[in-house]
Amino acid sequence: MKVAIIGTGYVGLPTGVGLAELGHEVICIDRELAKIEKLQAGKVTLYEEGLEDLLRKNFQAGQIKFTTDLSEGVKDAQVVVLAVGTPPHPVTHEADMRYVYEAATELVSCLQNNEYTVIANKSTVPVGTGDMVQNLIAKNNQHINFDVVSLPEFLREGYAVHDFFHPNRIVIGADTERAKQVICDLYKPLLQHNPQCTLLCVNRRSSETIKYASNSFLAAKIQFINEMADFCECVGADINEVAQGMGLDARIGKSFLQPGPGFGGSCFPKDTMALDFMARQNNIDLSLVRATIEGNRKRINSMATRVLDAVAYDVTVPCIGVLGLAFKNGTDDCRVSPAMQILQKILQQNSKCILRVFDPEAIENARMLLQAYPQYNTRVTFCNNAIDVCMGADVLTVLTEWPEFSNLDLQHAAKIMRHLYIVDCRNMLSAEQAIKLGFSYRGIGI
Ligand code: UGA
């Protein structure tokens, strides 16, 4: 099938490459020329394990192309996938629909006198957006033969390639049988290799809601385990054991019970807030979602305080060693990263404090984000490796769950740190070994 993907971000690019690998003829469209030129040179514009190899393979085989020209891209496409950003409005927190709206408006002129086209929306969009796009196009041009479907994406960043090829469900929100059939055909090669994957066909609004409900439920699960971690710290229980015991109940499930410094990224914070906004517009009180948002905000503040509280009282210019900047492991994405937020709070709360930071993939993105705060630039040193952050540090803190951090040479760290304090917000380091080496160790929920 011929597929056009509008938007080459964390959803659009892995989807495009994945569909090309399934044998479809894919063309990815993005307005940013620099991105398209990089992709045409066989280089990825974001870090995802395995993505670059797959991109090169399919690019060389002619299965995937890249362009900035939307009309060229969507010409003859049987499916046009919308994968543009829907960032939160800075004040209301509702999803900013500008890019979806612009793409839909452009499609009006590009799809003139087309054969039948399915416009599949993969961006996370407010419930009712499918109707809005359908009406917008139909109202402006009656000669377009099309349907709009909701095709929510459940890929995790950092595992996008794996998740694309091993989905547990594909949800299609289609209000016509014809559109549903086109999307079923699109995923046919994938379903043949994944008999465990459920293809769920629902109405368009249900599909749009499934995406928000899924992300908000997972965010609430994390908030729950983080609150339980606080409880465990007070009553002498161990959150790791508690999570293990809970997770053995199949009704609860063992995933998303890893306590940490709060959830982040470009999805959970944005989607919980957007869902809350939609609920308030409909006079519905989603109190659990609201508590999740508020609890996560407080958690990020309390983690910054926890790190600063570990600084010895006689230190006038504290040096904090920070392991991890990305919002989670496996990605270079620092957007709404708990690590970045905690780092900023530390710098705000203690005007003398300096930071030594390291992340295996996210240094460049973190550097760009920090450039927006020139007052902090001189107080942050980007290090080349994990052990380097320990040099002269008064406190070492782990903020992102990169597995390699668990191999940190604590013996070496103990020799080069000024004071031996660890605040491990991801429970990555060995508490036992740290204590043996003379560290004062504080983990989460233990
Ligand atoms: C999330 C969902 O997991 C995907 O299914 C969805 O497609 C995606 O949002 C999206 O809407 O596009 P993602 O944002 O990539 O994926 O990240 P997650 O792996 O879900 O992690 C989100 C945050 O929760 C991270 O900050 C992570 O460190 C934190 N987390 C996750 C925990 O603190 N504990 C856990 O047990 C799991």
Side-chain angles (χ1 to χ4, degrees):
M1 283 173 93
K2 287 193 169 177
V3 185
I5 314 260
I6 305 180
T8 60
Y10 284 90
V11 169
L13 188 59
T15 303
V17 172
L19 289 172
E21 178 70 11
L22 292 183
H24 298 301
E25 250 178 81
V26 176
I27 183 150
C28 291
I29 307 152
D30 203 292
R31 282 176 175 175
E32 273 184 58
L33 179 63
K35 267 192 183 180
I36 293 299
E37 283 176 345
K38 200 168 172 191
L39 291 165
Q40 282 169 336
K43 295 205 170 78
V44 288
T45 43
L46 47 94
Y47 175 76
E48 275 296 340
E49 203 180 335
L51 189 62
E52 192 156 277
D53 289 348
L54 221 47
L55 179 139
R56 280 208 190 126
K57 179 183 157 209
N58 283 285
F59 186 60
Q60 278 159 11
Q63 287 294 123
I64 190 164
K65 294 192 176 107
F66 302 97
T67 181
T68 53
D69 184 343
L70 193 121
S71 60
E72 180 206 318
V74 302
K75 200 168 62 176
D76 305 329
Q78 289 149 285
V79 180
V80 174
V81 177
L82 293 183
V84 295
T86 51
H89 186 281
V91 180
T92 62
H93 303 312
E94 68 191 293
D96 182 344
M97 296 297 292
R98 193 179 333 165
Y99 304 112
V100 174
Y101 190 78
E102 284 170 9
T105 307
E106 273 192 71
L107 283 176
V108 173
S109 49
C110 298
L111 290 179
Q112 299 252 30
N113 302 318
N114 64 326
E115 293 259 326
Y116 179 66
T117 308
V118 172
I119 299 169
N121 190 19
K122 263 203 179 296
S123 304
T124 302
V125 289
V127 181
T129 297
D131 298 0
M132 182 277 277
V133 173
Q134 181 93 36
N135 294 338
L136 184 149
I137 296 175
K139 205 172 73 189
N140 284 290
N141 193 332
Q142 284 157 8
H143 304 292
I144 297 176
N145 194 7
F146 77 107
D147 274 310
V148 175
V149 304
S150 159
L151 191 60
E153 185 49 71
F154 302 107
L155 299 176
R156 293 163 300 166
E157 278 184 33
Y159 300 89
V161 174
H162 173 274
D163 288 358
F164 179 89
F165 290 105
H166 305 93
N168 48 26
R169 86 271 214 207
I170 292 166
V171 175
I172 306 174
D175 291 348
T176 70
E177 204 42 49
R178 190 178 183 189
K180 190 173 98 183
Q181 202 45 54
V182 169
I183 302 298
C184 288
D185 290 347
L186 184 71
Y187 283 105
K188 210 174 184 174
L190 192 62
L191 290 162
Q192 277 163 353
H193 294 105
N194 288 279
Q196 83 298 342
C197 174
T198 302
L199 184 81
L200 181 68
C201 297
V202 294
N203 84 40
R204 209 161 50 194
R205 285 181 179 237
S206 300
S207 171
E208 289 166 344
T209 306
I210 285 170
K211 174 66 190 183
Y212 281 107
S214 301
N215 273 4
S216 298
F217 186 84
L218 291 172
K221 203 173 174 190
I222 298 169
Q223 173 57 18
F224 179 86
I225 204 68
N226 284 341
E227 286 186 1
M228 285 310 298
D230 289 344
F231 179 75
C232 288
E233 286 175 20
C234 294
V235 298
D238 179 332
I239 192 65
N240 300 316
E241 293 176 353
V242 172
Q244 193 189 3
M246 287 170 63
L248 287 170
D249 183 334
R251 292 171 305 174
I252 298 175
K254 60 182 184 330
S255 58
F256 278 74
L257 288 179
Q258 184 64 45
F263 58 79
S266 63
C267 304
F268 287 174
K270 161 176 86 72
D271 295 347
T272 45
M273 288 192 294
L275 181 57
D276 178 49
F277 179 84
M278 284 185 279
R280 279 188 282 114
Q281 271 189 324
N282 287 286
N283 294 321
I284 297 293
D285 181 16
L286 291 183
S287 61
L288 195 56
V289 175
R290 272 192 295 107
T292 300
I293 297 166
E294 183 54 16
N296 195 58
R297 191 188 61 75
K298 284 188 187 150
R299 182 148 194 91
I300 283 163
N301 285 336
S302 75
M303 289 298 123
T305 307
R306 186 180 282 222
V307 173
L308 283 173
D309 282 353
V311 176
Y313 70 94
D314 55 345
V315 174
T316 47
V317 182
C319 173
I320 315 287
V322 177
L323 290 180
L325 300 164
F327 82 96
K328 65 171 189 179
N329 67 311
T331 177
D332 59 355
D333 193 353
C334 290
R335 290 174 296 170
V336 202
S337 163
M340 295 299 289
Q341 290 170 306
I342 291 167
L343 186 149
Q344 281 174 33
K345 296 247 175 285
I346 291 173
L347 291 168
Q348 277 162 8
Q349 281 175 29
N350 185 315
S351 59
K352 298 222 170 87
C353 190
I354 56 168
L355 303 176
R356 294 178 67 77
V357 303
F358 172 70
D359 187 286
E361 295 293 340
I363 296 260
E364 281 321 309
N365 283 342
R367 210 192 292 271
M368 273 188 322
L369 282 179
L370 267 184
Q371 271 166 9
Y373 304 94
Q375 71 272 32
Y376 296 149
N377 277 346
T378 53
R379 295 166 61 197
V380 180
T381 303
F382 289 93
C383 298
N384 292 326
N385 53 53
I387 198 70
D388 204 17
V389 308
C390 302
M391 187 65 75
D394 298 296
V395 180
L396 172 65
T397 184
V398 184
L399 298 181
T400 308
E401 68 275 45
W402 286 101
E404 52 261 57
F405 290 157
S406 59
N407 301 325
L408 183 77
D409 184 346
L410 284 176
Q411 215 164 358
H412 189 172
K415 286 192 189 126
I416 59 176
M417 282 176 69
R418 186 160 61 177
H419 291 98
L420 301 190
Y421 288 95
I422 291 175
V423 176
D424 187 352
C425 297
R426 296 283 189 173
N427 291 350
M428 298 294 297
L429 305 175
S430 160
E432 200 187 330
Q433 197 203 356
I435 291 163
K436 260 196 208 143
L437 287 164
F439 281 97
S440 168
Y441 176 91
R442 185 157 184 206
I444 297 286
I446 46 181

